[in-house]
Amino acid sequence: MKHTLADVVDIDLHKQPHRPQLAELQTLYRMEGEAGRRAATRQGLWVAVAVYLLFFAIDILLVPDVAFYTILARLVIGISALLCFEILYRIKARTKWLDGTCAAALVFGYIGWLVPAMTTADSASMSYYMIFGAIFMMGANLFFSFRFRLSVVASGIVLTTFFVALSFFSEHDPAYLIAFGTFYVSCFIFTSYVNWKLNRERYKVFLNAFEAKIQQNEASERGMALLRLSNTDPLTGLDNRRAIDQQLRDYWNDWQKLGKSFAAMLIDVDFFKKYNDCYGHQEGDRCLVLVANALGEAIKDYNGSIGRYGGEEFIVLARLDTLEQAAELAEVICRTVENMRLVHEQRRDGVSIVTVSVGAAFTRNQTGAKLEKIIHEADRALYAAKASGRNCAKLFDPNDPQSSDESENIAALLKIAVDQNLVSLVYQPIRNVMTGEVEAVEALMRLTMLDGTSVPPSLFIPVAERTGAILDLGRWAIKTVCHELLVDNHIPLVSVNVSPIQLKTPGFATSVAAILGETGVAGSRLAFEITEGLEMEMHSGILRCISDLETLGIRIWLDDFGTGFAGLSWLRLIDFDTVKVDRSFLHDCSTPKGRAMLQDIIGLVRNRGHKILIEGVETDEQLALMRRFRIDQVQGFHVGRPAPAETFRTPPDKPRIPLRNGARS
Ligand code: C2E
Ligand code: MG
Ligand code: MG
């Protein structure tokens, strides 16, 4: 398992850059120097040969009798040197050969001129002209950028040749010999010394430049590595949210500017919290890595990118041409994870392997649409996938009420609902089957739009849960119930529907305790209805919250029993005061099979010692059946429709609401 970001992106942030040994450095210096020097040497030779040839004029002036030979020598040597050099240059011979050619040209140029010039009859002129040799020496040491050894050899030959030639002038006076000899020797020493210094300086400059280059490379490598780190998810090695957001911007720009359509998919590992709780976090991490790798492989054929969006959520972006392709890819993603068959035995929906839910959105032409819209749509589709039982893929459908713009409006409305008095509560009586007495009422929330039209709970409750608005609304509902019916003892008990989101939120029980304290209502006057739904994973936080609520005296009811998967295990874990059997079982009672089913459920709940409430009693026959089944309580349009609080504010001396159709509001 990879543990750190650096492991994942496979870099060593503490790695020192490679610094070569001395010999390696010198080879590098030579190679580096060669490249830059070739063109300069070539240019230098052409200039030197040109100047050498121009000296023909001085030959004519000072040694006219042998000028023909000296000029011929100049031409032959100059042209041969250039020819030789150009050939070597073109065949890309090593620079040391080019330098050697130049050094040879200098030596031969000197000797080639000196030998015929020495035969002149005008020895006085020649004795002056001899000074010309010093230029060859300087050329070897300073004009070209020879390495020290070559320049000393070349200038040494020139110096030696000079002394040999000087011996022919032995008839000259010693002062001449001493002056010229000393001049040549000092010229040799000084220019050789300067050459040595220059070579050293060049090497130092090279070393500095080399070090700077190493540091620059190192800095840019570290920069790249850090960039990779900042864009990588440490666990899975996939792009992290930041990187994928950047890619999303690119995809979006291409869609806006070039019309390249794409799909965005949000992938959520089903019941992952449960997986972590059951198998431990290390196994949870391993599961995420395996899923990430499998998804990475699966999307390769679709030209997609994948990233970890946070927690157990992944995101896939893919350039696709049609909605059908998007649907196909979403399905492939689902099946890929399913086919991995990673064991997950603790989920409560009958499936025992790890699966994912996928919400996909495809680019659509919408005026004024923003980049976030497509993610928002994918999120809605993901919500729909989860609501349809998970392990499935859903494409965003703009015509689905939960996905529509209407749901956007509802989300906005919910934010201001409490302040603007757009929410209210109605209460539906819960009656004792035998006595007909209203033993409790269920608080049901109502929402009206700003124009007065009402929004059904089936529409706004899921939106409130998705957006988190349910937390404020839920608190408001409990407080309102206390104020409207409980403070003045109009009704003995009020049941309030509580969403799993509320139970999962830390501090919920404390906030309820605060409301009870504020209003002076005893906890035993409240019942909380918990719906056995898919959203309700058995979370240790939820169990703790339920136990805290029970400590406050609040009764816990199980709502819509029989509609979810988890009901039976819930019955084992939580000591419900009352179980409300979903109305669908009563409505199926017209058939013997349906009736037997209801009886079985009643038997089961009764044996566990819970009170039984049957929902959805709509007819006299159903009520009679409930009496026959000796059900404790009933609720339904036949025994009382939901009505405003005023309906229940009856003075204590007035008769109780009769158990007949008259109860309808
Ligand atoms: P629920 O808790 O099962 O509430 C009972 C629903 O059944 C209510 O619908 C009620 O009007 C309806 N009903 C009652 N008797 C009959 C009947 O005889 N026949 C039929 N066909 N229906 C009947 P409503 O008010 O539309 O609420 C729907 C759901 O919305 C509720 O189901 C509950 O899950 C949720 N809900 C309502 N208010 C709240 C709330 O304050 N908080 C939360 N979290 N959920 C709420
Ligand atoms: Mg209810
Ligand atoms: Mg119900």
Side-chain angles (χ1 to χ4, degrees), residues 47 65 341 486 643 658:
V47 171
D65 53 338
R341 310 210 73 76
L486 296 176

Side-chain angles (χ1 to χ4, degrees), residues 497 607 665:
N497 292 285
N607 285 341
S665 56

Side-chain angles (χ1 to χ4, degrees), residues 52 77 104-114 136:
Y52 180 64
I77 293 166
L106 275 166
V107 170
F108 285 113
Y110 179 56
I111 298 172
W113 160 77
L114 185 66
F136 288 89

Side-chain angles (χ1 to χ4, degrees), residues 254-319:
D254 285 355
W255 156 244
Q256 294 290 302
K257 291 184 190 140
L258 312 168
K260 287 190 186 170
S261 52
F262 72 96
M265 302 183 187
L266 293 177
I267 301 147
D268 198 88
V269 181
D270 297 327
F271 299 102
F272 186 68
K273 166 118 202 26
K274 194 86 224 166
Y275 190 95
N276 257 343
D277 289 348
C278 168
Y279 300 103
H281 284 266
Q282 233 179 352
E283 273 304 299
D285 284 357
R286 205 177 74 87
C287 167
L288 288 178
V289 170
L290 291 173
V291 169
N293 292 345
L295 292 183
E297 283 299 314
I299 61 153
K300 271 188 184 154
D301 297 340
Y302 291 83
N303 184 23
S305 354
I306 179 167
R308 181 159 173 225
Y309 220 44
E312 71 269 31
E313 196 164 284
F314 297 94
I315 178 169
V316 163
L317 302 173
R319 286 192 209 289

Side-chain angles (χ1 to χ4, degrees), residues 425 428 442-446 457-458 461 465 470 477 496-499 502 529 531 559-560 580 583 587 615-618 635-638 642:
L425 291 177
Q428 187 175 26
E442 177 181 9
L444 296 164
M445 201 178 285
R446 297 291 176 257
S458 56
I461 295 288
E465 287 179 333
I470 196 73
V496 181
N497 292 285
V498 168
S499 154
Q502 291 169 271
E529 294 189 17
T531 306
D559 200 359
D560 302 336
K580 295 178 78 175
R583 66 170 175 264
H587 295 178
E615 299 179 299
V617 176
E618 291 178 350
Q635 190 182 354
F637 293 161
H638 184 66

Side-chain angles (χ1 to χ4, degrees), residues 267-270 287 290-292 294-295 298 314 330-343 347 353-358 391:
I267 301 147
D268 198 88
V269 181
D270 297 327
C287 167
L290 291 173
V291 169
L295 292 183
F314 297 94
E331 200 53 41
V332 165
I333 288 173
C334 255
R335 300 293 73 92
T336 301
V337 177
E338 191 181 28
N339 292 340
M340 291 168 73
R341 310 210 73 76
L342 297 173
V343 176
R347 39 195 291 177
I353 51 169
V354 171
T355 60
V356 290
S357 301
V358 182
N391 188 20

